[in-house]
Amino acid sequence: MLGFRGPFFTATGSAAVPVSDSTTMSDWFLQRGYGVRFEWGPVGARQLAPDVACLVVIDVLSFTTSVSVAVEAGTQVFPYAWRDETASAFARENAAELAVGRRAATAVAPWSLSPAALRRAPFTPRLVLPSPNGSAISAAACGSTVVAGCLRNAAAVGQWLARNGYGSPERPLTVIAAGERWPDGSLRPALEDALGAGAIIAELEAHGVGPLSPEASAAQSAYAHTPDVAAAVVACSSGIELAEGGFADDVAVAVELNASAIVPVLTDGAFTSPSVPGHSTGTPVASGIPAADVGQREQQ
């Protein structure tokens, strides 16, 4: 792992140590003038986040799908970047259970990044969910609202964003597809995340939100012109990777298109939903800035 090794989220949800970006860039990459924007990965999130009112995180296999399943059950989900000893300490500080690696789940510790395992696990009110990509993107918000989107809640997220006035040139939003990692650590654009982003952007467009940037329009077009989205995700590289690793059930949960009406919003350091009884309705907050584009999917 590269760069910052501490937590992105404190026990109170306040920002961790910010890390400056030494790369000097013009504003050509910000997609200014468009209400709905689209970009890839933690670095893309960090670059565009300061210029938008809302950041929509897409990590279909499996961070945001797992968040949707857990929040749907009434659990507050605390994103965390590392699965190490600091994650255990963070969970204790937040009086939360700690999700383990997919293969490490046991009867004693049944919560993991696997959405299928989370669905089978007993209820817990608070859960720390380590995920290098999803958590790093969530942490990049710089004060803007953060929403967890996936194929399961694409329509609900799009409708919530439109209803709350996001996606205009005055209150722009950026949809961030997490992508995956090549062995050298570089970003591998992932089809499932492009389709998840496109599904939400399509819903926004259907509600008259926009205009869409060319990048966002391309993601929407990819979704709209995919005849069978579920089949495409099952057959794509990431879907095959999980299925061959014994986690085909996770892919099956991820392709439950628009099965959930839950919209997880990062509030006081945890993803919750105002539509779930008992959940926090506090002010959505950002929780720090990631140091670098880090991590590959952790199956172990």
Side-chain angles (χ1 to χ4, degrees), residues 14 82 96 103 114 129 180 214 262:
S14 59
W82 314 113
R103 298 187 187 280
S114 161
L129 188 61
E180 295 297 342
I262 293 297

Side-chain angles (χ1 to χ4, degrees), residues 200-219:
I200 291 172
I201 294 167
E203 189 69 26
L204 288 166
E205 186 179 48
H207 283 79
V209 176
L212 310 185
S213 72
E215 291 86 348
S217 181

Side-chain angles (χ1 to χ4, degrees), residues 91-186:
R92 288 193 299 271
E93 292 168 3
N94 285 278
E97 298 291 348
L98 176 64
V100 298
R102 279 184 170 92
R103 298 187 187 280
T106 65
V108 176
W111 304 279
S112 78
L113 186 61
S114 161
L118 287 177
R119 185 172 278 175
R120 295 189 297 265
F123 171 74
T124 181
R126 296 159 72 87
L127 181 69
V128 171
L129 188 61
S131 168
N133 275 357
S135 291
I137 294 169
S138 300
C142 299
S144 57
T145 300
V146 181
V147 175
C150 60
L151 289 168
R152 295 188 72 247
N153 67 354
V157 168
Q159 292 163 17
W160 184 90
L161 292 167
R163 188 166 60 248
N164 284 277
Y166 293 110
S168 67
E170 294 73 32
R171 297 187 74 204
L173 67 86
T174 294
V175 181
I176 299 289
E180 295 297 342
R181 301 286 146 207
W182 291 112
D184 67 358
S186 60

